[in-house]
Amino acid sequence: MSFLRNLAPALLVVLWSSGFVGATFAAPVAPATTTLLWRYVAAALLMVVVVLALGRRYGARYLRREAVLGALGQAGYLYGVFRAVEEGLPAGTAALLASLQPALVAVVLSASGRGSGGGRRQAVGLAIGFAGVALAVGPDVAAGSGAAGALWAVLGMLSLSAATVLGDVWPAPDDGRGHDVLDSLAVQGVVALGVFAVLALASGQATPPADPTFWLAIAWLVGLAFLGGYGMYLYVQRTRGPVAVSTWLYLTPAVSAAWAWAMFGEELPLLTVAGFVVSLAGVLLTRPGRRSRPARRAAGEAAPARSERYASPQRAR
């Protein structure tokens, strides 16, 4: 498990980035609502089969918590990202806007007294992150293009941030059933399916297109982005905490842009690259400072209680 724990952040960055690429993959052949509906038809059914086979059971308090976190961290976040890409926002730029979430979460948790300290440093990091975003997307927005996509990406980021903070301040119920990442994925996946089913049916966008590219995109989104990306997100959040998992997401814009360049030939303007670099500088400031050795030892002694606290979080991709 120590090997997985050490490798998990790198896997998180690569797999989480794949979701932005999957959105770009599907955008030419289907509306965002259609893609998200069928992504969760496949993902939720798979998870339900697994948890039923394993005999998992959930109490009302657990279901209530995971339903709220799933609605915010999966349905709200993904709808914003997919609508952003549908509006023509490049995958790397959408990821860059979404990557403001780590600094925002760090500042909110620090202000609430639940962070790791360094509130002023984290606030400066958030400001630098915004400066990087402005550098990357500002020219397009000023020219009248990309504003709608940028707004959707920001709304999705705020939804994920809300889920992240709420997952930290709302402890998972201790019902003795030992819920883990699998349970969170299953419950939140079903909730997201319900949200997107309502949206798709209400907008008349539930019917999938005949284009086989659509189903390739769905397979990509379920296998890499949902099972891989969200699974690693929840695992890293559970084992390293909310600020740590959010901080790693700052590395996803450059990886997403590299995916999109390799797969779709998307250009990487110099200002966009500069924006990536500036935003990355922001995350370095949001990282918690090193604690003293006695403090680390004390934290280690308190680890069982902390692990229960993060037993089933959601910050999700």
Side-chain angles (χ1 to χ4, degrees), residues 66-144:
E66 294 300 315
V68 173
L69 298 180
L72 288 169
Q74 296 211 32
Y77 170 67
L78 287 174
Y79 189 70
V81 168
F82 274 66
R83 282 299 304 270
V85 173
E86 187 176 60
E87 293 288 342
L89 198 68
T93 306
L96 180 61
L97 285 161
S99 75
L100 289 175
Q101 185 256 4
L104 182 59
V105 167
V107 170
V108 171
L109 290 177
S110 179
S112 67
R114 303 181 69 89
S116 54
R120 181 177 300 178
R121 184 183 69 251
Q122 291 170 345
V124 172
L126 178 60
I128 291 176
F130 271 107
V133 168
L135 190 63
V137 305
D140 287 339
V141 173

Side-chain angles (χ1 to χ4, degrees), residues 34 67 165 167 278 299:
T34 307
V165 173
V278 172

Side-chain angles (χ1 to χ4, degrees), residues 77 96-115 118-119 121-130 133 153-166 168 233 242-247 249-250 279 282-283 285-287 315:
Y77 170 67
L96 180 61
L97 285 161
S99 75
L100 289 175
Q101 185 256 4
L104 182 59
V105 167
V107 170
V108 171
L109 290 177
S110 179
S112 67
R114 303 181 69 89
R121 184 183 69 251
Q122 291 170 345
V124 172
L126 178 60
I128 291 176
F130 271 107
V133 168
V154 169
L155 291 175
M157 179 272 293
L158 292 175
S159 186
L160 179 60
S161 299
T164 300
V165 173
L166 189 58
D168 184 64
Y233 185 94
V243 174
V245 71
S246 291
T247 299
L249 296 188
Y250 259 108
S279 289
V283 76
L285 286 176
T286 67
R287 297 181 64 182
R315 305 169 66 272

Side-chain angles (χ1 to χ4, degrees), residues 7-17 228-230 232-234 236 244-246 248-249 252:
L7 186 62
L11 290 175
L12 167 66
V13 172
V14 173
L15 293 171
W16 191 269
S17 301
Y230 266 112
M232 284 296 102
Y233 185 94
L234 293 170
V236 174
V245 71
S246 291
W248 279 99
L249 296 188
T252 59

Side-chain angles (χ1 to χ4, degrees), residues 2 9 21 38 42 82 91 93 102 148 151 161 167 173 175 177 179 187 196 199 221 227 250 255 272 277 308:
S2 61
V21 178
W38 288 96
F82 274 66
T93 306
L151 177 60
S161 299
D175 55 10
R177 295 177 180 174
H179 299 310
V187 177
F196 292 126
L199 288 175
L221 289 166
L227 296 177
Y250 259 108
V255 177
T272 300
V277 174
E308 284 183 10

